[in-house]
Amino acid sequence: MKFDRPATTNPSDRMAVLGQPHTRIDGKLKTTGTAAYAYERHDAVEGQLYGYPLGAGIARGHVLAMDTREAEAAPGVVTVVTTLQMEKLPQDDRNIVRLFGGPEIVHYHQAIAVVVAETFEQARAAANMIRVTYDEDTSEIYNLAEKREMVEDQDIQTHTNVGDFHTAFGQAEVKLDATYVTPPQTHVMMEPHASIAHWTDGRLRVWTSSQMIDWHRQALATTFSLDPEAVHVESPFIGGGFGGKLFLRADAVLAALGAKKAGRPVKVALPRPMVINNTTHRAETIQHIRIGATKEGKITAIFHDCVSNTPPGGAGEDATNQTRYFYAGEHRLIVNRLAQVRLPESNSMRAPGEAAGLMALEVAMDEMAEKLGMDPVEFRIANDTQVVPENPSQKFSQRRFVECLRHGAETFGWTNPKPMSQRDGDWLIGHGMSGAYRGAPAQPSGARVRLQPNGRLIVETDMTDIGTGSYTILAQTAAEMTGLPMDRIEMRLGNSSFPVSSGSGGQFGAASSTAGLYAACVALRAMIAERMQADPDTLDFRDGQVIDGARSLPLSGFASEGEMVAEDKIEFGDFRSKEYKLATFAAHFVETRVNAYTGEIRLQRMLSVCDAGRILNPVTARSQVIGGMTMGVGSALMEKLDVDDKRGFFVNHDLAGYEVPVHLDIPQQEVIFLTGDDPVSTPLKAKGVGELGISGVAAAVANAIHNATGVRVRDFPITLDKFIDRLPPV
Ligand code: MOS
């Protein structure tokens, strides 16, 4: 099905099942511990061995020698595979740095060996017995601020140069010129990267934890020089990804290498320190923002420059993206720069771009409102736009940011209190707010539906559920389209035997995969209409019946001779991006307390009002947003990977040293979705919310802290050492 013009009325509009608050259909399996994650697929194949990885102990240089004799002689060890035994493996374009093979080390904890043994403990013990001799290159600079000064080392992308920023900024009545820093972050999903690999007759089977089944399959095929048809990938349950499981990583490569050499299936999980230094992270950013406005608060000039770290060939973190679209202003200069820093690979992490970009832009907007003496809500409303500021012929398909702001302000009880004006005993109280923007892309996505003689419907797609609710919203889509009850729908996801889907990424998963399943269901409905010699548009599918005027037939009857199978995929026409800009919006409001003596920060309440088209399931959508809000609190107050500037690695590489919010850190959270469909987005008129939920949150927290204390911290996370000496006198 080609989606090449805005949706009109269609069967999904009934919203008898879609749009309803269904709890997760996979919830029981997960909460009872019976959902088997990658490392737990004990039943997948007999005779599994354990592989334990070894990561390089240097960030840059060469491995000169590896003495594996002691490891190979250790109890239970079956085999050892080292990076010196092979050339660099062929690599998929999506992987920036090498995954395995050859003596060269390009980042710390690059995988250099896997020990395969009968038990996990034996493999781990033997991995520690490998003696590695390195030739270490210590000339690299790992400090982004230092690299930022070295212009020749940078890849400069000018996104926007509209009007004459410099002149307009020079003449502006009110100006802000400030620099913000966001730190490197790591996904710390609960489930580490893990894979079981098994070879039979030159075919490779991998049970893994992946957001993108087909990317994984293609990358494995490339790495091992196989036909993609000879690679099978399964990932039905995933314990979080956040962008860290988009691409093939060392766990699957090591498992496959170990399995090949051992002649038996091998499972490998990356230990937590290797998750952090071996896989990807969100880049550090240094963002320079300048805003000029009239004294009435109209933005006339806006500048956003970001520099972030990446290994050569990577994309870093372009934190300027939202600034191209979010606020009006005639004169605009928006520049992204990449500094080559040979840390582990920086790549996507939840809302790549906006999550870090709004941490700066939305604090800058707050600072600007303060300079103008304006309510920050009103300042944002004054600079709202219904067209793309740098390209006014492109209009937002749906943009209700002002409604988010007004509805949020009213619900929260926003009064724009003056800084340091609220106090409760030892606690300074602050209110802060921010806006949020995140794009709403869509990707081609396929699905197959199989109507069974017993009246059940099997849905097959390689779409993944990374904790987001895919199982549930897809089952709702199938139930809505076929008129079958939810308990008649059997969902099968995360398997490369099934039609290729969008996968889970970029906030496109929910919108794209439900549209793909819609297409497959439309195909099934057409087959049924043909059998009935009826017009598919006038058929009604409800309560297990197919109704054509006065005629009513049970749906299951159409499969009485054997299952009825329909398959299709959705493809999105370029009208979506040519004529329109699709995006999601939110307004966040936060109340926090800061202890007047100790600087301890305690959040009190949080509210997010979201504009994301049709909400397919308010329960799973809310969970996505409160998860994002929680991650936003982590960004504001805790999360930071600390770089060892001399040796080029992330020092705090475990869950003890990389802090994330726990229940006690999270206050009352309220989420409101504006109702209303976006027919430009997909046939289901829906957009994603998972990345919107994190976007802008950290800035609202930062602005609330400023409101409580009068202190601005422009360097995230806001730990008390950064402001305790600036607290107002008690
Ligand atoms: Mo997302 S950061 O594209 O998984």
Side-chain angles (χ1 to χ4, degrees):
M1 177 184 288
K2 185 89 189 250
F3 185 67
D4 53 11
R5 67 182 73 97
T8 51
T9 304
N10 69 50
S12 77
D13 294 327
R14 181 167 54 184
M15 302 276 281
V17 195
L18 278 172
Q20 301 302 316
H22 279 280
T23 55
R24 291 173 193 226
I25 60 175
D26 52 332
K28 191 171 172 186
L29 284 175
K30 288 186 171 175
T31 53
T32 55
T34 45
Y37 291 81
Y39 203 74
E40 305 165 330
R41 295 293 296 275
H42 313 299
D43 60 346
V45 54
E46 290 283 308
Q48 296 174 23
L49 293 168
Y50 292 80
Y52 196 88
L54 183 66
I58 61 169
R60 189 149 179 79
H62 288 82
V63 178
L64 297 177
M66 296 179 76
D67 181 348
T68 58
R69 285 170 296 181
E70 196 187 346
E72 276 164 321
V77 171
V78 176
T79 193
V80 178
V81 180
T82 78
T83 197
L84 295 183
Q85 293 166 357
M86 61 195 73
E87 299 284 306
K88 176 180 182 285
L89 292 173
Q91 197 150 301
D92 187 89
D93 293 344
R94 294 185 184 95
N95 286 104
I96 307 304
V97 299
R98 78 172 56 199
L99 289 181
F100 199 75
E104 190 185 1
I105 300 301
V106 297
H107 71 88
Y108 189 83
H109 268 179
Q110 176 183 317
I112 56 170
V114 61
V115 175
V116 177
E118 295 291 342
T119 72
F120 171 80
E121 289 77 7
Q122 289 169 335
R124 182 176 57 181
N128 282 319
M129 296 172 191
I130 299 175
R131 306 278 165 253
V132 188
T133 316
Y134 298 103
D135 174 20
E136 187 177 6
D137 176 352
T138 55
S139 66
E140 279 295 323
I141 294 169
Y142 297 100
N143 183 299
L144 181 63
E146 226 175 291
K147 278 264 170 161
R148 183 173 179 245
E149 305 307 321
M150 301 162 66
V151 178
E152 72 281 3
D153 195 37
Q154 292 163 356
D155 173 6
I156 300 177
Q157 308 163 322
T158 300
H159 288 307
T160 308
N161 188 358
V162 172
D164 177 357
F165 167 78
H166 293 286
T167 303
F169 185 69
Q171 293 169 352
E173 290 167 321
V174 182
K175 298 176 202 185
L176 173 81
D177 185 332
T179 298
Y180 305 85
V181 177
T182 68
Q185 296 179 335
T186 179
H187 312 79
V188 287
M189 67 296 279
M190 285 294 283
E191 182 202 23
H193 299 67
S195 296
I196 302 170
H198 181 46
W199 293 86
T200 39
D201 306 326
R203 298 174 64 83
L204 175 61
R205 297 193 73 177
V206 174
W207 296 266
T208 190
S209 185
S210 167
Q211 297 176 223
M212 308 293 278
I213 298 295
D214 199 55
W215 288 8
H216 229 86
R217 188 172 69 119
Q218 289 176 27
L220 282 165
T222 302
T223 306
F224 295 102
S225 304
L226 298 167
D227 185 325
E229 294 304 313
V231 180
H232 179 85
V233 176
E234 281 184 39
S235 185
F237 296 108
I238 297 144
F242 307 119
K245 292 175 181 168
L246 288 166
F247 316 106
L248 180 69
R249 304 308 315 179
D251 56 305
V253 175
L254 296 178
L257 289 169
K260 197 167 206 177
K261 196 162 174 197
R264 280 171 65 183
V266 169
K267 63 166 72 177
V268 174
L270 297 186
R272 187 64 67 178
M274 268 190 82
V275 171
I276 289 173
N277 277 294
N278 178 273
T279 74
T280 59
H281 67 279
R282 189 199 296 283
E284 178 177 0
T285 72
I286 301 174
Q287 303 179 49
H288 183 193
I289 294 180
R290 287 185 280 178
I291 303 174
T294 65
K295 56 184 187 309
E296 292 77 30
K298 282 277 181 202
I299 294 174
T300 52
I302 189 160
F303 169 88
H304 195 162
D305 165 289
C306 172
V307 60
S308 63
N309 62 284
T310 178
E317 180 88 6
D318 181 0
T320 66
N321 185 49
Q322 70 291 319
T323 309
R324 301 172 62 185
Y325 308 109
F326 207 5
Y327 297 114
E330 200 180 330
H331 303 279
R332 319 176 68 85
L333 181 57
I334 296 167
V335 179
N336 183 45
R337 297 185 283 156
L338 299 173
Q340 291 186 4
V341 182
R342 291 165 195 269
L343 283 164
E345 179 182 344
S346 54
N347 209 312
S348 295
M349 178 168 154
R350 197 176 200 165
E354 282 93 328
L358 288 161
M359 286 165 78
L361 180 65
E362 289 301 299
V363 173
M365 288 295 285
D366 201 67
E367 297 200 47
M368 194 66 190
E370 194 185 11
K371 281 176 183 279
L372 286 157
M374 271 180 96
D375 183 329
V377 171
E378 296 304 327
F379 179 48
R380 285 169 174 83
I381 291 171
N383 291 286
D384 187 52
T385 173
Q386 290 295 320
V387 297
V388 171
E390 65 187 40
N391 177 20
S393 69
Q394 206 185 7
K395 57 181 183 291
F396 287 100
S397 63
Q398 185 181 46
R399 173 168 168 140
R400 296 176 297 181
F401 179 45
V402 170
E403 281 176 73
C404 291
L405 290 163
R406 292 217 189 279
H407 193 65
E410 190 184 322
T411 308
F412 183 82
W414 177 257
T415 57
N416 189 31
K418 289 204 179 333
M420 296 178 287
S421 65
Q422 303 178 88
R423 186 168 182 143
D424 177 12
D426 293 346
W427 295 89
L428 310 172
I429 297 171
H431 288 180
M433 58 79 51
S434 70
Y437 171 98
R438 175 69 187 168
Q443 294 291 328
S445 196
R448 180 160 60 220
V449 290
R450 296 168 46 186
L451 182 64
Q452 303 297 298
N454 63 8
R456 293 176 67 80
L457 185 83
I458 297 171
V459 176
E460 296 177 336
T461 163
D462 85 355
M463 181 59 188
T464 49
D465 189 324
I466 60 175
T468 38
S470 309
Y471 277 105
T472 311
I473 58 170
L474 287 166
Q476 287 175 268
T477 303
E480 189 73 70
M481 292 297 293
T482 59
L484 291 170
M486 283 286 278
D487 61 9
R488 288 287 180 93
I489 310 291
E490 182 179 328
M491 293 302 308
R492 297 182 182 171
L493 299 186
N495 186 315
S496 61
S497 308
F498 303 153
V500 175
S501 73
S502 64
S504 300
Q507 186 169 273
F508 52 65
S512 310
S513 67
T514 54
L517 178 54
Y518 168 90
C521 291
V522 167
L524 182 76
R525 290 166 65 117
M527 287 168 76
I528 287 167
E530 198 180 317
R531 289 242 201 125
M532 290 176 75
Q533 296 187 322
D535 177 358
D537 293 336
T538 60
L539 287 185
D540 191 10
F541 290 69
R542 66 172 70 221
D543 306 324
Q545 300 286 310
V546 188
I547 301 154
D548 178 33
R551 215 164 31 134
S552 176
L553 297 170
L555 182 63
S556 59
F558 291 90
S560 58
E561 306 288 303
E563 68 171 355
M564 186 181 226
V565 183
E567 181 175 334
D568 199 3
K569 74 172 178 182
I570 190 92
E571 289 175 294
F572 295 90
D574 56 9
F575 82 98
R576 228 176 152 271
S577 50
K578 279 213 174 111
E579 294 168 44
Y580 300 97
K581 181 72 194 166
L582 280 102
T584 58
F585 302 87
H588 300 290
F589 293 82
V590 169
E591 179 178 315
T592 192
R593 300 183 155 218
V594 181
N595 188 285
Y597 295 90
T598 67
E600 178 185 350
I601 298 165
R602 284 281 163 208
L603 296 185
Q604 291 294 111
R605 59 193 177 106
M606 302 176 76
L607 165 69
S608 298
V609 182
C610 302
D611 170 22
R614 176 183 288 175
I615 298 302
L616 298 169
N617 178 336
V619 173
T620 53
R622 176 178 176 276
S623 292
Q624 283 295 288
V625 176
I626 65 173
M629 290 160 83
T630 304
M631 225 166 176
V633 172
S635 290
L637 303 179
M638 300 164 198
E639 290 186 50
K640 180 189 186 189
L641 285 171
D642 276 298
V643 179
D644 182 318
D645 277 359
K646 296 272 179 305
R647 301 203 51 221
F649 69 100
F650 299 120
V651 181
N652 51 339
H653 50 202
D654 56 35
L655 285 169
Y658 187 85
E659 293 180 16
V660 296
V662 296
H663 281 88
L664 190 61
D665 299 310
I666 295 301
Q668 175 196 330
Q669 292 176 319
E670 192 179 348
V671 181
I672 295 169
F673 294 105
L674 299 185
T675 54
D677 308 339
D678 187 343
V680 178
S681 183
T682 79
L684 272 61
K685 306 164 187 173
K687 295 186 276 199
V689 294
E691 297 186 328
L692 179 65
I694 185 176
S695 299
V697 174
V701 174
N703 295 339
I705 293 167
H706 169 262
N707 185 251
T709 63
V711 177
R712 281 285 173 202
V713 179
R714 300 191 182 94
D715 174 16
F716 288 95
I718 305 176
T719 47
L720 58 82
D721 55 296
K722 292 177 184 167
F723 66 88
I724 194 163
D725 59 342
R726 289 189 280 159
L727 281 176
V730 268

